[in-house]
Amino acid sequence: MTMAGWIAITGLWVVVVCLALVVLALARQIGVLHERVQPFGALKLAQALNAGQPAPVVDVLDMNGTHHRIGAASPQGKDALIVFVSPSCPVCKSLLPSLRSIRRRERPPVEVVLASDGSRLEHADFIATEGLSEFIYVLSEPLGLAYGAGRLPYAVLLDAAGIVRASGLVNSREHLDSLFEAKERGVASLQQHLDAASREVA
């Protein structure tokens, strides 16, 4: 091999080593940024209910014809998580495993209510396809209006006394968990708590 060939190979190896070092440096910086970035909770909507106020009480019939008073105090002493969904919403479907987990494992127990409006037949197919018979599933446009469900998926967490504890758009399990953390911290949303903490530091 000629001298020019050896020089070219050496130059390529130098470039490869430099690129490897740059990638490692960037990976380290991404890790540092990940540690510094604060977690974001459920996004609170402008028309949402205010934490600490009694929830609107709306009488509804579920898909089985059973009467429920959404927003009233729970005779069983359970918190209630009302989640507004749609059969045509992919994000809503992605949350279903998390909602099953919350319903079965959250302590104190939480009653998960799925709410929507529209064609009863469409929702019956949705319930059958996704296996949602374990949930209370209601179709009620007045419920959505009363609870400020302008965008989906939207959730409202009520305590056993029917008091609003947290609400917001929920696109992930982390967003759902942030509602329960907001309740524990006594704030309207986790984001409100983080903003207040940032102002104190400043």
Side-chain angles (χ1 to χ4, degrees):
M1 185 179 289
T2 65
M3 182 62 68
W6 285 111
I7 292 173
I9 290 173
T10 303
L12 286 173
W13 273 109
V14 170
V15 171
V16 169
V17 170
C18 290
L19 285 174
L21 292 174
V22 169
V23 169
L24 288 174
L26 288 174
R28 183 179 180 280
Q29 282 302 111
I30 290 172
V32 171
L33 288 173
H34 182 72
E35 291 178 359
R36 290 180 181 175
V37 171
Q38 295 177 331
F40 283 90
L43 177 63
K44 194 164 178 62
L45 299 179
Q47 71 272 30
L49 302 173
N50 294 319
Q53 74 178 44
V57 178
V58 181
D59 290 293
V60 298
L61 293 176
D62 66 20
M63 291 290 286
N64 296 319
T66 304
H67 175 261
H68 299 275
R69 301 196 77 214
I70 305 297
S74 168
Q76 296 83 23
K78 290 184 178 181
D79 290 355
L81 180 65
I82 299 101
V83 185
F84 294 87
V85 298
S86 168
S88 60
C89 169
V91 178
C92 299
K93 293 178 182 179
S94 72
L95 290 176
L96 295 176
S98 297
L99 294 174
R100 289 188 178 95
S101 175
I102 287 171
R103 183 179 179 275
R104 294 171 183 170
R105 300 176 188 173
E106 193 71 29
R107 293 293 177 269
V110 176
E111 188 67 76
V112 177
V113 178
L114 301 182
S116 193
D117 59 15
S119 166
R120 184 178 180 85
L121 180 60
E122 180 186 17
H123 288 279
D125 289 342
F126 182 48
I127 291 169
T129 302
E130 300 294 336
L132 304 179
S133 57
E134 67 183 276
F135 297 105
I136 296 172
Y137 198 112
V138 302
L139 297 182
S140 173
E141 185 176 351
L143 180 65
L145 292 172
Y147 280 69
R151 295 167 62 189
L152 302 178
Y154 176 73
V156 179
L157 179 63
L158 310 180
D159 66 17
I163 304 299
V164 177
R165 290 305 172 194
S167 64
L169 287 174
V170 287
N171 295 322
S172 65
R173 175 61 194 250
E174 289 73 21
H175 287 170
L176 288 168
D177 289 342
S178 76
L179 298 179
F180 293 93
E181 187 170 348
K183 177 196 170 189
E184 291 177 5
R185 294 176 182 271
V187 295
S189 68
L190 183 58
Q191 201 56 48
Q192 180 191 73
H193 171 72
L194 294 172
D195 290 343
S198 298
R199 286 193 295 270
E200 289 178 3
V201 171

